[in-house]
Amino acid sequence: MRREAAAECVKRKDHVILRIHVPRPTPVEARVRSLRSGLSCSSTFPFSHPSSLSLYVHTLSAELAIVSSRAPSESLSSWILQAVFFFVCLLNDFGGSNELSPAKRPILRRVKDFIHASFGFPVAMFVGVTFWALMFVDRELVLPAAVDPYFPWWLNHLMHTLIMVTTVLEMIVAPRQYPKRLSGLGGLLIFMASYLVWLLIIYAKSEIWVYPVMEVLSWPQRIGFFVVLFLFTAILYILGEYLDRLIWGRAKKSVGKSAKKKKSK
């Protein structure tokens, strides 16, 4: 029998053992699947979404109680977005569908999928990665030491670490259907452009940059900085697509094949 054969029969006494060569998953795929199997069960949703929503509500209330009067409208849009997203998740748990590939997605499921794909994952990762990267370079660029008495460490982690943890857990726990890249990525870039316009309006009226890093840059440097951030956000969107295929790709294919078999019968 040829070495390239996908299956080989080995005779032992009165029975035959059929060996089928199945490609082994990569270490990353195996790790992700084992983690998903422990998290993605029907009983997980009623606990994960209310918990995430309550954490974001607590974070927002704590931030509003601490920061100056100008900060809420200027710098909390990302956390408000996450709170809205998990509220939609909670509504979908009870009035929508968390099936892997529903034949017809309810409106709540479609809204939930689009928000997480276009805004939830890329914006959350953008906030966390850029904050901690700048914090590593020079904390005065994002969170000056002068605010430490008013801004506790636990609130900092709620705002800039938790935001990444919850969106990655949502990616593992709940399946989603990604929109077409043009619409999904387009929605993300429109959101980022709108936020940038809002920052420029604030600066035009108050001559104060919301983020200290902008104060140390010249205008050409600021423009280049904005372009790099937009490109980075687009890369994060594509990364989300890749992770979704890595975690849920094979399961979706198997569901699709079984659905086709049912139709053919």
Side-chain angles (χ1 to χ4, degrees):
M1 188 176 291
R2 296 181 180 179
R3 294 181 180 178
E4 295 81 9
E8 62 180 357
C9 294
V10 180
K11 294 183 179 180
R12 292 182 180 177
K13 295 184 179 179
D14 298 330
H15 64 277
V16 176
I17 300 176
L18 181 64
R19 296 176 181 175
I20 301 176
H21 298 282
V22 179
R24 293 184 179 181
T26 64
V28 174
E29 289 179 332
R31 182 62 178 170
V32 168
R33 288 177 197 170
S34 64
L35 180 59
R36 188 188 74 189
S37 63
L39 292 174
S40 60
C41 57
S42 59
S43 61
T44 303
F45 297 108
F47 297 99
S48 63
H49 293 152
S51 299
S52 298
L53 177 60
S54 62
L55 282 172
Y56 279 107
V57 171
H58 175 68
T59 301
L60 289 169
S61 61
E63 175 72 359
L64 290 170
I66 292 174
V67 298
S68 63
S69 59
R70 70 177 177 83
S73 62
E74 296 172 9
S75 60
L76 295 184
S77 60
S78 299
W79 295 272
I80 293 173
L81 173 64
Q82 297 298 319
V84 170
F85 167 68
F86 282 107
F87 180 68
V88 173
C89 288
L90 192 59
L91 293 178
N92 180 71
D93 290 342
F94 295 98
S97 171
N98 285 311
E99 294 180 16
L100 186 61
S101 296
K104 184 177 181 180
R105 287 185 302 160
I107 182 65
L108 285 172
R109 173 64 182 272
R110 293 200 297 268
V111 172
K112 170 181 173 288
D113 288 354
F114 186 83
I115 292 178
H116 188 257
S118 298
F119 310 125
F121 179 83
V123 172
M125 297 303 294
F126 172 84
V127 168
V129 172
T130 55
F131 175 85
W132 288 112
L134 291 172
M135 191 81 166
F136 178 79
V137 174
D138 183 0
R139 68 163 298 176
E140 297 298 318
L141 297 176
V142 285
L143 190 67
V147 304
D148 283 350
Y150 316 100
F151 198 87
W153 65 268
W154 56 265
L155 182 56
N156 183 24
H157 282 290
L158 281 178
M159 295 184 67
H160 301 108
T161 305
L162 176 71
I163 197 170
M164 294 187 291
V165 173
T166 55
T167 197
V168 172
L169 285 177
E170 177 66 18
M171 179 74 75
I172 297 171
V173 168
R176 72 207 43 77
Q177 182 174 327
Y178 258 74
K180 293 182 179 180
R181 183 173 292 181
L182 182 61
S183 60
L185 189 55
L188 172 62
L189 295 180
I190 290 173
F191 174 83
M192 296 296 293
S194 302
Y195 188 67
L196 175 59
V197 170
W198 176 238
L199 295 182
L200 294 174
I201 290 174
I202 293 173
Y203 176 76
K205 291 185 175 181
S206 64
E207 295 186 355
I208 296 175
W209 288 106
V210 174
Y211 304 105
V213 64
M214 305 305 300
E215 297 177 357
V216 301
L217 301 177
S218 63
W219 271 107
Q221 291 173 331
R222 288 169 188 156
I223 294 172
F225 185 64
F226 292 146
V227 171
V228 171
L229 292 183
F230 270 64
L231 292 175
F232 180 57
T233 308
I235 292 173
L236 289 173
Y237 178 88
I238 297 172
L239 174 63
E241 282 186 334
Y242 170 75
L243 289 177
D244 181 69
R245 288 195 300 270
L246 180 66
I247 298 170
W248 297 102
R250 291 198 176 186
K252 289 179 181 179
K253 286 182 180 179
S254 62
V255 170
K257 289 179 180 179
S258 62
K260 288 181 179 178
K261 288 181 180 179
K262 290 181 180 179
K263 288 181 179 179
S264 62
K265 289 181 180 181

